[in-house]
């Protein structure tokens, strides 16, 4: 195997480990203590760095193409501020969704989401090799991670939907409770009895999930729009998980390439 092939495998494996290990530790420790948020605090900067580096390179390339190099404006239009804002928005949405998924994902779904992470990272590297033949490096790198995440999510949404329909059991209470009662029941079942700022943040996605489960249990077999809404919900979750994985692939790629360059220059 070539050195480049080993590097790509290292990036894919690293991205999977960097995502699954903090989330697993968060999952097993949060029922015991709110200090479990430390594991999310470890994950968030890595997501930010991976997303920021590609976004900054893309915006910087756009500004360099639009602004003359000798202009004083070029000192300010380097893409860093916009990349910082975009990265903060991504992390703000991604981390709570990942935390919620880690806590609430049923047994049959967890290995599929791990496989989704691996496939998304692998596809992003494949797209990058192809795009580099046609576009300059900053564009190829940035677009490849978004395309890899989107393509992987599209492939896995039907798989996730099928497993949810076939193997994930809905609580029997959803058939007897009304909508608001079902939402409250779902949140209470998923979150620990203690309350705090973490529980308040996670209550919203758990409420949305409970609403989806109630609709599916009540009307999934009689109303066509219910499976459609559920598919959109799964698509959003799949894309966030895949995009987080590709952001970590970007982060791992920067670190591994730097280490590889330093070792080859010795």
């Amino acid at each position: 195997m070539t050195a480049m092939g080993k590097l790509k495998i290292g990036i894919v494996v690293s991205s999977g480990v960097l995502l699954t290990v903090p989330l697993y530790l968060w999952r097993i420790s949060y029922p015991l203590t709110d200090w479990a948020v430390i594991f999310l605090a470890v994950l968030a900067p890595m997501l930010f760095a991976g997303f920021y580096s590609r976004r900054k390179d893309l915006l910087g390339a756009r500004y360099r193409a639009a602004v003359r190099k000798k202009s004083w404006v070029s000192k300010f239009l380097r893409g860093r501020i916009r990349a910082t804002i975009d990265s903060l928005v991504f992390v703000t949405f991604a981390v709570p969704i990942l935390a919620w998924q880690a806590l609430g994902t049923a047994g049959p779904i967890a290995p599929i989401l791990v496989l989704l992470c691996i496939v998304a990272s692998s596809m992003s590297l494949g797209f990058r090799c192809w795009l580099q033949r046609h576009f300059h490096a900053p564009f190829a790198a940035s677009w490849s991670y978004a395309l890899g995440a989107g393509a992987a999510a599209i492939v896995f949404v039907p798989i996730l939907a099928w497993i949810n329909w076939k193997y994930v059991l809905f609580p029997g209470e959803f058939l007897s409770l009304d909508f608001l009662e079902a939402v409250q029941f779902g949140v209470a079942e998923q979150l620990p009895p203690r309350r705090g700022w973490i529980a308040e943040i996670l209550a919203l996605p758990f409420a949305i999930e409970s609403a989806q489960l109630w609709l599916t249990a009540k009307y999934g077999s009689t109303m066509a729009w219910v499976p459609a809404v559920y598919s959109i919900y799964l698509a959003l979750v799949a894309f966030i998980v895949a995009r987080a994985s590709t952001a970590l692939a970007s982060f791992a790629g920067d670190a591994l390439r730097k280490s590889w360059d330093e070792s080859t220059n010795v």
Side-chain angles (χ1 to χ4, degrees), residues 23-263:
L23 290 179
Y24 174 73
L25 294 174
W26 151 259
R27 177 185 176 118
I28 63 174
S29 57
Y30 179 65
L32 305 175
T33 174
D34 280 353
W35 284 105
V37 75
I38 291 174
F39 299 113
L40 299 181
V42 171
L43 177 62
M46 294 188 293
L47 289 173
F48 178 91
F51 193 93
Y52 172 83
S53 60
R54 301 288 79 80
R55 188 65 176 155
K56 176 179 68 68
D57 291 345
L58 175 65
L59 293 171
R62 288 179 177 174
Y63 291 141
R64 286 193 297 272
V67 181
R68 293 182 182 274
K69 188 176 182 179
K70 295 182 179 180
S71 172
W72 63 270
V73 177
S74 64
K75 297 179 181 180
F76 302 96
L77 295 179
R78 297 183 178 180
R80 294 176 181 176
I81 296 176
R82 173 68 183 277
T84 299
I85 294 172
D86 291 347
S87 301
L88 287 173
V89 170
F90 169 71
V91 171
T92 300
F93 278 96
V95 170
I97 290 175
L98 292 171
W100 152 57
Q101 278 296 298
L103 290 179
T105 298
I109 299 295
I112 301 301
L113 291 178
V114 173
L115 183 60
L116 168 61
C117 296
I118 295 172
V119 171
S121 297
S122 302
M123 293 184 73
S124 67
L125 295 178
F127 277 121
R128 184 170 183 173
C129 291
W130 175 71
L131 289 171
Q132 283 177 337
R133 302 173 189 171
H134 307 283
F135 301 95
H136 294 297
F139 296 92
S142 180
W143 294 344
S144 65
Y145 290 111
L147 285 174
I154 290 172
V155 171
F156 274 80
V157 165
I159 299 173
L160 291 170
W162 180 74
I163 292 176
N164 270 282
W165 282 103
K166 292 287 289 186
Y167 297 106
V168 177
L169 300 177
F170 301 116
E173 288 82 357
F174 280 95
L175 296 174
S176 58
L177 298 175
D178 63 28
F179 179 76
L180 290 178
E181 290 173 339
V183 170
Q184 293 171 353
F185 171 81
V187 173
E189 284 290 300
Q190 296 290 346
L191 291 175
R194 68 178 185 277
R195 284 294 176 261
W197 65 273
I198 299 176
E200 295 302 322
I201 293 173
L202 293 177
L204 177 59
F206 277 123
I208 294 173
E209 182 183 43
S210 299
Q212 291 285 342
L213 291 175
W214 183 84
L215 286 171
T216 303
K218 283 275 190 178
Y219 305 110
S221 59
T222 58
M223 295 185 178
W225 62 269
V226 173
V229 171
Y230 193 63
S231 296
I232 295 172
Y233 155 78
L234 287 176
L236 174 62
V237 171
F239 180 76
I240 291 295
V241 172
R243 191 65 185 90
S245 180
T246 59
L248 291 174
S250 171
F251 173 79
D254 288 344
L256 292 175
R257 287 189 183 94
K258 181 179 180 180
S259 177
W260 185 41
D261 291 340
E262 290 176 351
S263 64

